[in-house]
Amino acid sequence: MSIAIVKKPEEALAAAARAAADAEPITPRGLPAPLPEGETILWQGQPAWRTLARRAMRLRGMSLYFGLLAAWAFGEAIAAGQGVPAALLSATWLLALGAAAIGLLSLYAWLSARSTFFTITNERLILSFGVALPMSVNVPFKLVENVAFKRWPNGTGDIAIAIESERRLSYVLFWPYVRPWRFSKVEPMLRAVPQAERVAAILAERLTATHGENAAAQAAAERRQDAVEGGREGARLRPATA
């Protein structure tokens, strides 16, 4: 004969709460570690790989480049009297080489988009990316100097982040999630972001709140400092009494 021990509902809930508290924190998808207590995710997304391939890998320009090379090779072969079959063969080789290059870059864009996560919390911006060597970059809102936004016709967009940092960022390390041609002061960029206007609005709201709080705190500190200095000045100028 077996005896079953049935816990009261209150005891079961308390036990479940203790078990949840003792359990290890869960790391959200796309983040290197669990978020601290009080920090919440406002938005998280991944790049649109087709836009990433077209804009970051410059596939349209590359297609045009190999197309012009093939046309030039065809014309040169015809001018040299090699005949149409030989000219077509020369052009076909160049087109095949271009197709292979475009295919490899498209594959890389797809892999990069799958392994990349952009996360906006109430405290910071987190970029997690890297196909072979994953890495994460934390950007607290208080270090953000400026934000540049560009929207593309398909609804995606790019959001470049200018950071106040003493360390020089690596352009190569951040590519393709970096603002083009900014080598002296590298700016990380959320590239090919879906629903870009909504994401930009969320980021702008948090930056406004953060910098507003910082400005208010700085102004309060300056007022306190002025009050202290004014009191000291008044003490020095107060006339002596008998």
Side-chain angles (χ1 to χ4, degrees), residues 145-240:
E145 293 181 339
N146 189 29
V147 174
F149 170 64
K150 184 169 186 178
R151 183 183 182 278
W152 299 113
N154 63 351
T156 63
D158 298 335
I159 304 175
I161 312 294
I163 302 175
E164 179 184 356
S165 175
E166 298 179 355
R167 297 178 56 186
R168 184 174 180 179
L169 304 179
S170 172
Y171 189 96
V172 176
L173 191 63
F174 275 87
W175 190 87
Y177 303 105
V178 64
R179 191 171 186 177
W181 316 117
R182 299 295 177 99
F183 300 107
S184 58
K185 189 174 182 180
V186 176
E187 298 182 10
M189 186 161 72
L190 281 65
R191 208 157 197 172
V193 178
Q195 300 179 343
E197 290 185 349
R198 173 174 171 265
V199 177
I202 294 174
L203 186 58
E205 181 182 355
R206 291 310 309 160
L207 289 174
T208 301
T210 300
H211 288 281
E213 292 172 359
N214 292 342
Q218 183 177 0
E222 291 176 354
R223 287 195 297 270
R224 288 194 298 269
Q225 184 66 22
D226 292 342
V228 171
E229 292 178 355
R232 291 174 179 173
E233 187 67 22
R236 287 197 297 268
L237 297 179
R238 187 179 298 115

Side-chain angles (χ1 to χ4, degrees), residues 61-71 94-95 97-99 101-102:
M62 184 172 293
S63 301
L64 179 61
Y65 173 74
F66 279 101
L68 291 175
L69 281 182
L94 284 173
L95 290 176
L97 181 62
I102 292 172

